Amino acid sequence: MSQELNNLTIAEAREGLSQKKFSSRELVEACFAEIHKREPELHAFLEPFFHTKHQAEEKEFNEGALSGIPFAIKDNILIKGQVASAGSKILENYKASYDATVTKKMWDAGALFIGRTNMDEFAMGSSTENSAYGPTKNPYDVSRVPGGSSGGSAAAVASGMCLGALGSDTGGSIRQPASFCGVVGLKPTYGAVSRLGLIAMASSLDVIGPITKTVEDAEILFNVIRGRDSFDSTTADSRITNKELGIKGLKIGVPKEYFGEGLHPEVKKVIESAIKKMEEAGAIIKEISLPHSKYALEVYYIIMPAEVSANLARFDGIRYGSSVATSYKLQATSLYDVYAKTRAEGFGHEVKRRVMLGTYTLSHGYYDAYYLKAQKVRRLIRDDFVKAFEEVDIIAGPTTPDVAFRFGEKANDPVSMYLSDIYTVAINLAGLPALSMPAGFVERDGKKLPVGLQLVGKWFEEDVILSIGKELEEIL
Ligand code: GLN
């Protein structure tokens, strides 16, 4: 019996715990049993927290929305006293001295943390191949990537090693792995969830959100972590619109730019059939245009690296993380040497590539030509959405142009890797909320691989896409 508890949804587990059908300890043990079975092959975790078993016993079940339920946390979100390495060598031994606002809120709601999950280094990547600790495998086909950068969290949820997880999304890192692993991922509105205690990648784009088995579970977790935080001045409370919008009569915008060249025909078929089902259920489908979205990837790859280069300047061998100052082998002879050697040793290729790109576009003489120009185009991308939302309630389309790819397929070609975020980055640039949910499967080499449908909502209207998502789960 306890072996299957790990496959429950958060809502089901909460119900079972409250009726004392099983204990939190049994639930945690079921997850660890699955970890013992699957983890050697999948490598979703950087560190399972075995001490959680004892916490499960000590913590009394209470009214908290997550009471007694085990979660996995992406390795760039701080849990006091635990290592948070952001998938990087440079933070290999960095222990968090405080809880992120999200972890504190989850802890207060009764959650248990059963491990920290693997990710692309500093959340830069789409496959977990950029992790300094080796890649995570896709539970549907271990020769394929789980997506990234929150690939560990998505694989852990998809394989039943935990009931839910947190990820972070800067350009697609919750939605793309959720899509590749056949689970639900919610990227909240920028500012709907506090970033205190999230190791920063690109501060004007980063947001923390849930990765779960069902849309209802994503809603439960989002309701715990969301809200204004005095420690993060960019936060605001989400509107609870209570619009009671159902699929019937809902105006759904389908951007023509998301169905053109580059979208795999089989993926297109799955997404079109999901949209058709919504139409049959009474939705009004409207073709819309997001004319500036064709510049989204270029704009993202100017703004994001600029912010990365500023944020990662703090890893200098003095203030955080590992340092060559104390290494005999790499003896540094000057302060500059400490910086240079620490960073050369501690960062991987992709991180270095982006720091260099960002430093270049921010440099005197190029700032206006690149960074400032990109900010202006970012505004136009956002305005496309403002215009679209005058006509429609939500926007629907594919999360990614294709299903999970094979290891090595894109690792040596950064641009082809970047293209897997073509439908997600514009939404980060605009700061909108978006949900990726399983819409069906395509078959490759005799294996079924999941396809994700993306639903984009108006700013701070997560409740609309969540309620539509829940209804859609029933009819898909
Ligand atoms: N894959 C994208 C990138 O490499 C997005 C990453 C993210 O959302 N953290 O930048």
Side-chain angles (χ1 to χ4, degrees):
M1 151 83 179
S2 74
Q3 207 52 9
E4 284 135 38
L5 294 177
N6 56 302
N7 291 324
L8 295 178
T9 66
I10 297 170
E12 289 164 350
R14 168 93 203 135
E15 184 73 17
L17 285 169
S18 72
Q19 292 173 3
K20 300 207 183 329
K21 285 194 183 147
F22 47 84
S23 68
S24 172
R25 163 107 193 188
E26 285 173 295
L27 194 57
V28 170
E29 272 174 354
C31 290
F32 278 120
E34 200 61 27
I35 289 175
H36 281 296
K37 219 162 64 196
R38 304 295 304 278
E39 179 59 10
E41 186 178 36
L42 296 179
H43 187 42
F45 286 92
L46 290 178
E47 186 190 1
F49 301 150
F50 292 110
H51 60 263
T52 306
K53 281 186 199 168
H54 308 295
Q55 286 176 354
E57 248 159 31
E58 286 156 17
K59 262 193 151 181
E60 286 281 309
F61 180 78
N62 60 33
E63 284 312 298
L66 309 177
S67 188
I69 300 182
F71 290 89
I73 304 293
K74 189 176 179 179
D75 192 37
N76 59 353
I77 299 170
L78 307 192
I79 304 173
K80 189 176 174 176
Q82 299 294 341
V83 169
S85 77
S88 180
K89 277 274 175 248
I90 212 164
L91 289 176
E92 193 173 8
N93 302 314
Y94 169 70
K95 269 198 183 153
S97 56
Y98 65 98
D99 274 324
T101 297
V102 289
T103 29
K104 181 168 185 321
K105 284 185 167 193
M106 286 177 70
W107 185 246
D108 290 347
L112 297 166
F113 301 121
I114 61 161
R116 53 188 180 94
T117 53
N118 196 19
M119 57 182 281
D120 287 294
E121 185 176 7
F122 284 103
M124 299 175 200
S126 307
S127 65
T128 73
E129 289 167 293
N130 295 337
S131 167
Y133 304 98
T136 298
K137 313 273 170 61
N138 190 312
Y140 280 89
D141 176 353
V142 291
S143 70
R144 291 177 188 268
V145 304
S149 62
S150 316
S153 287
V157 174
S159 59
M161 296 198 281
C162 58
L163 271 71
L166 285 183
S168 67
D169 194 314
T170 304
S173 278
I174 288 175
R175 291 159 288 161
Q176 186 255 22
S179 171
F180 281 11
C181 291
V183 290
V184 172
L186 173 70
K187 173 230 174 286
T189 308
Y190 177 78
V193 178
S194 170
R195 286 178 292 116
L196 179 86
L198 170 69
I199 299 175
M201 177 181 165
S203 303
S204 78
L205 300 159
D206 295 342
V207 58
I208 297 172
I211 296 180
T212 52
K213 295 169 193 161
T214 64
V215 179
E216 182 186 22
D217 281 1
E219 184 175 39
I220 293 172
L221 187 47
F222 173 64
N223 280 333
V224 170
I225 61 173
R226 71 183 167 87
R228 222 185 75 76
D229 180 11
S230 56
F231 292 111
D232 175 357
S233 61
T234 62
T235 52
D237 286 317
S238 285
R239 271 194 287 279
I240 302 298
T241 60
N242 286 326
K243 271 191 184 157
E244 304 274 332
L245 282 179
I247 292 182
K248 197 166 167 9
L250 185 78
K251 283 181 259 153
I252 303 178
V254 178
K256 62 169 189 254
E257 290 81 3
Y258 281 36
F259 288 82
E261 205 194 324
L263 177 62
H264 194 285
E266 288 171 331
V267 173
K268 189 174 174 188
K269 234 172 91 189
V270 173
I271 299 301
E272 281 175 347
S273 126
I275 293 173
K276 185 101 203 111
K277 288 209 173 118
M278 292 198 272
E279 190 171 25
E280 282 159 13
I284 303 148
I285 310 295
K286 279 192 167 186
E287 188 182 89
I288 57 162
S289 175
L290 303 167
H292 296 94
S293 63
K294 60 173 176 284
Y295 304 119
L297 215 54
E298 285 87 341
V299 169
Y300 174 77
Y301 275 96
I302 291 173
I303 291 174
M304 174 274 295
E307 295 183 14
V308 160
S309 81
N311 274 326
L312 269 58
R314 75 192 69 173
F315 303 107
D316 56 5
I318 305 288
R319 285 170 292 181
Y320 292 94
S322 63
S323 172
V324 300
T326 49
S327 150
Y328 174 73
K329 206 171 79 210
L330 292 161
Q331 239 172 19
T333 53
S334 66
L335 182 61
Y336 178 82
D337 225 25
V338 173
Y339 298 159
K341 285 185 173 158
T342 298
R343 290 166 71 84
E345 276 288 297
F347 288 147
H349 291 309
E350 185 63 24
V351 172
K352 285 178 186 160
R353 180 170 15 243
R354 296 193 193 194
V355 168
M356 284 192 279
L357 259 176
T359 311
Y360 176 78
T361 56
L362 287 179
S363 60
H364 184 70
Y366 293 107
Y367 182 89
D368 287 3
Y370 293 107
Y371 186 73
L372 212 60
K373 186 73 157 268
Q375 288 290 21
K376 289 178 181 166
V377 183
R378 179 181 191 172
R379 183 62 183 216
L380 297 175
I381 290 169
R382 181 186 174 278
D383 289 349
D384 281 352
F385 285 105
V386 173
K387 219 169 125 228
F389 280 126
E390 283 168 7
E391 283 180 55
V392 297
D393 302 309
I394 68 165
I395 294 172
T399 306
T400 58
D402 201 356
V403 290
F405 46 90
R406 288 185 178 283
F407 285 100
E409 205 175 304
K410 298 181 196 283
N412 297 319
D413 180 358
V415 175
S416 89
M417 184 76 88
Y418 299 167
L419 278 168
S420 67
D421 297 314
I422 190 107
Y423 306 133
T424 49
V425 290
I427 289 143
N428 295 74
L429 290 166
L432 291 160
L435 181 73
S436 177
M437 59 184 286
F441 292 90
V442 302
E443 207 179 295
R444 295 278 162 86
D445 314 317
K447 295 215 162 97
K448 277 169 71 181
L449 299 174
V451 174
L453 170 77
Q454 179 169 229
L455 303 180
V456 188
K458 295 181 187 173
W459 288 271
F460 293 105
E461 290 193 1
E462 284 82 3
D463 66 341
V464 173
I465 46 175
L466 288 166
S467 71
I468 299 302
K470 281 191 285 187
E471 201 183 326
L472 187 54
E473 265 175 347
E474 301 293 317
I475 60 171
L476 273 182

